C-alpha cells in the first residue's frame, strides 16, 4: 500500500515537471480565477457587514405622539412587540431625549438653556430589525399608527435599500464569475493532464494490458490536478490575506474613527470562511479537471 502511494506521488511529480510550462499556466489560471472570486467575496462580505452595522446603529426610530397617555403608550409598546421582524425595542423617555440632545450640543450651552423643564424633544422607540430586508414591511406597519400613537417615523430607507441592491448585484456577479472562471480553470487543468496522458499513452496501454486497474492508472493524474488546484488557490489566499490586512492597517492609521466604528469586517472573520472555501474550490477544480481528462484515455 505504501509503495503504491509513493509511486503515485513520484509519477505525479515527474509529470508536473515534464510539462512544467502547462503546469505553471494551469496554476496561474487557477490563481487568477480564485483571486477574482476572493475579491468579490471580500466586497460582498464587507457590504453585508456594513449593512448589519447600519441596522444596529441607525435602525428605525418612531416618535410617540404628545397626546398619548402612559397607559396608551404601554399598549402601543405591546403592539410593537407583536411584530416578529423587530429584534430589539429601546424606549427613550423625554428626559433621556433631552440628555441625548445635551450631549450633541455639549460645549454650546446657550442652545438648550432654559429648556430643561419644557423642551420639544419627544418620547421615542429605537427599533432594531432582524434584517434590513424587513425594513420596508415594518415601515408600512408603523405608518398605520402615525397620527394617533406616532407623530413621525425616522427611517433611512434610501440608504438601506441602496446597500441591499448593491449587495445583491455583487452576489449575482460572484455567482456568475464562480461558474465562468471555474469552467476556464477546469479546461486549462484538463489540457495539462491531457498532455501528461499523451506523453505516457503507450505506457498506460501496456499497464492496462498487463492488468493494471483504472484507479491505479488514474491516481497519479488525479494527484497532479489536486496539486495544481491547491497551489493555485493557496497563492491568492495568502496574498489577499496580507494585502487585505495591510489595507485595513493603512486605513485605520489614517482614519482611526473608522476602526472605532467597526466599518470594515476584521481579517480573521473574512478568512475564517474564505480559507476553507478557497482550498475546497481549488481541490474540486483539480479533481474535476483531471478526472474528466483521464476518463476517455482509460479505455484501450
Amino acid at each position: 500500500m505504501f509503495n503504491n502511494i509513493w509511486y503515485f506521488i513520484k509519477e505525479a511529480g515527474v509529470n508536473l515537471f515534464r510539462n512544467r510550462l502547462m503546469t505553471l499556466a494551469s496554476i496561474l489560471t487557477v490563481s487568477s480565477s480564485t483571486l477574482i472570486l476572493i475579491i468579490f467575496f471580500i466586497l460582498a462580505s464587507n457590504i453585508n457587514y456594513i449593512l448589519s452595522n447600519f441596522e444596529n446603529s441607525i435602525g428605525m426610530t418612531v416618535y410617540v405622539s404628545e397626546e398619548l397617555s402612559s397607559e396608551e403608550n404601554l399598549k402601543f409598546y405591546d403592539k410593537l412587540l407583536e411584530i416578529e421582524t423587530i429584534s430589539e425595542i429601546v424606549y427613550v423617555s423625554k428626559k433621556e431625549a433631552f440628555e441625548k440632545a445635551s450631549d450633541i450640543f455639549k460645549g454650546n450651552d446657550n442652545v438648550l438653556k432654559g429648556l430643561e423643564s419644557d423642551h420639544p424633544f419627544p418620547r421615542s422607540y429605537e427599533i432594531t430589525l432582524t434584517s434590513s430586508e424587513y425594513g420596508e414591511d415594518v415601515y408600512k406597519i408603523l405608518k398605520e399608527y402615525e397620527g394617533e400613537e406616532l407623530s413621525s417615523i425616522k427611517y433611512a430607507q434610501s440608504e438601506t435599500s441602496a446597500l441591499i441592491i448593491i449587495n445583491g448585484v455583487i452576489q449575482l456577479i460572484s455567482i456568475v464569475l464562480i461558474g465562468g472562471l471555474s469552467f476556464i480553470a477546469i479546461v486549462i487543468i484538463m489540457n495539462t493532464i491531457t498532455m501528461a496522458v499523451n506523453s505516457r499513452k503507450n505506457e498506460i496501454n501496456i499497464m492496462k494490458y498487463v492488468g493494471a486497474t483504472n484507479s491505479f492508472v488514474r491516481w497519479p493524474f488525479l494527484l497532479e490536478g489536486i496539486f495544481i488546484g491547491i497551489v493555485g488557490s493557496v497563492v491568492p489566499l495568502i496574498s489577499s490575506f496580507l494585502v487585505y490586512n495591510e489595507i485595513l492597517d493603512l486605513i485605520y492609521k489614517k482614519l482611526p474613527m473608522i476602526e472605532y466604528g467597526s466599518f470594515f469586517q476584521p481579517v480573521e472573520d473574512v478568512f475564517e470562511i474564505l480559507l476553507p472555501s478557497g482550498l475546497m474550490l481549488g481541490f474540486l477544480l483539480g479533481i474535476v479537471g483531471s478526472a474528466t481528462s483521464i476518463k476517455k484515455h482509460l479505455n484501450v
Side-chain angles (χ1 to χ4, degrees):
M1 181 65 179
F2 179 78
N3 289 336
N4 284 347
I5 294 173
W6 174 246
Y7 169 79
F8 297 151
I9 295 173
K10 185 177 69 173
E11 287 299 307
V14 169
N15 289 333
L16 287 168
F17 182 77
R18 184 183 295 158
N19 303 295
R20 50 190 174 275
L21 289 179
M22 279 301 296
T23 298
L24 182 60
S26 299
I27 291 174
L28 289 175
T29 302
V30 175
S31 294
S32 301
S33 303
T34 307
L35 181 60
I36 293 172
L37 296 177
I38 287 172
I39 291 171
F40 273 88
F41 177 85
I42 290 174
L43 284 174
S45 182
N46 272 283
I47 288 177
N48 269 324
Y49 187 73
I50 292 169
L51 194 58
S52 176
N53 287 339
F54 187 79
E55 289 174 358
N56 295 331
S57 60
I58 298 177
M60 189 180 293
T61 303
V62 293
Y63 295 99
V64 180
S65 175
E66 290 291 336
E67 289 76 25
L68 205 67
S69 66
S70 297
E71 185 179 343
E72 290 171 329
N73 189 25
L74 286 173
K75 289 180 180 179
F76 175 67
Y77 178 74
D78 290 335
K79 291 178 183 178
L80 292 178
L81 290 175
E82 292 175 2
I83 303 175
E84 295 180 356
T85 50
I86 293 178
S87 63
E88 186 180 7
I89 305 170
V90 177
Y91 177 66
V92 179
S93 65
K94 284 184 69 71
K95 181 181 178 182
E96 290 170 330
F98 181 80
E99 289 172 354
K100 284 189 174 186
S102 299
D103 289 337
I104 294 173
F105 292 105
K106 199 170 185 179
N108 229 335
D109 298 335
N110 293 330
V111 175
L112 301 177
K113 191 174 182 180
L115 296 177
E116 292 83 356
S117 57
D118 185 21
H119 61 80
F121 304 109
R123 300 167 292 174
S124 64
Y125 288 101
E126 294 179 352
I127 295 171
T128 302
L129 307 176
T130 55
S131 172
S132 59
E133 296 176 1
Y134 303 121
E136 191 67 28
D137 295 332
V138 174
Y139 181 74
K140 288 178 181 177
I141 294 172
L142 294 176
K143 284 290 284 183
E144 296 176 5
Y145 300 116
E146 198 170 20
E148 295 183 6
E149 287 96 341
L150 301 179
S151 59
S152 63
I153 305 168
K154 179 184 174 184
Y155 172 47
Q157 184 177 7
S158 57
E159 291 86 347
T160 304
S161 299
L163 282 172
I164 292 172
I165 292 170
I166 292 170
N167 188 40
V169 169
I170 288 181
Q171 287 182 350
L172 180 61
I173 293 173
S174 299
I175 291 171
V176 173
L177 282 173
I178 287 173
L181 296 175
S182 296
F183 176 77
I184 293 171
I186 287 172
V187 170
I188 296 293
I189 292 173
M190 284 174 61
N191 289 336
T192 304
I193 302 301
T194 298
M195 287 185 64
V197 171
N198 289 335
S199 67
R200 297 182 59 207
K201 203 166 187 179
N202 291 334
E203 183 182 343
I204 291 173
N205 288 339
I206 293 171
M207 291 170 65
K208 290 298 298 293
Y209 281 128
V210 298
T213 62
N214 285 346
S215 61
F216 186 86
V217 176
R218 185 185 293 118
W219 265 110
F221 300 106
L222 290 177
L223 290 178
E224 287 181 53
I226 292 171
F227 176 84
I228 291 170
I230 293 294
V231 173
S233 61
V234 166
V235 172
L237 282 170
I238 293 174
S239 59
S240 60
F241 176 86
L242 296 174
V243 171
Y244 183 62
N245 192 46
E246 190 65 29
I247 288 173
L248 288 189
D249 285 344
L250 185 63
I251 291 173
Y252 291 152
K253 283 178 183 176
K254 298 289 184 182
L255 302 168
M257 287 303 293
I258 289 181
E259 183 175 17
Y260 176 77
S262 300
F263 194 76
F264 293 104
Q265 191 169 17
V267 178
E268 56 272 16
D269 289 353
V270 173
F271 283 85
E272 184 180 13
I273 299 171
L274 197 53
L275 183 60
S277 301
L279 291 175
M280 181 58 68
L281 176 64
F283 177 82
L284 291 175
L285 289 177
I287 283 285
V288 173
S290 54
T292 305
S293 180
I294 188 62
K295 185 178 180 180
K296 62 181 178 180
H297 295 282
L298 290 177
N299 297 320
V300 296

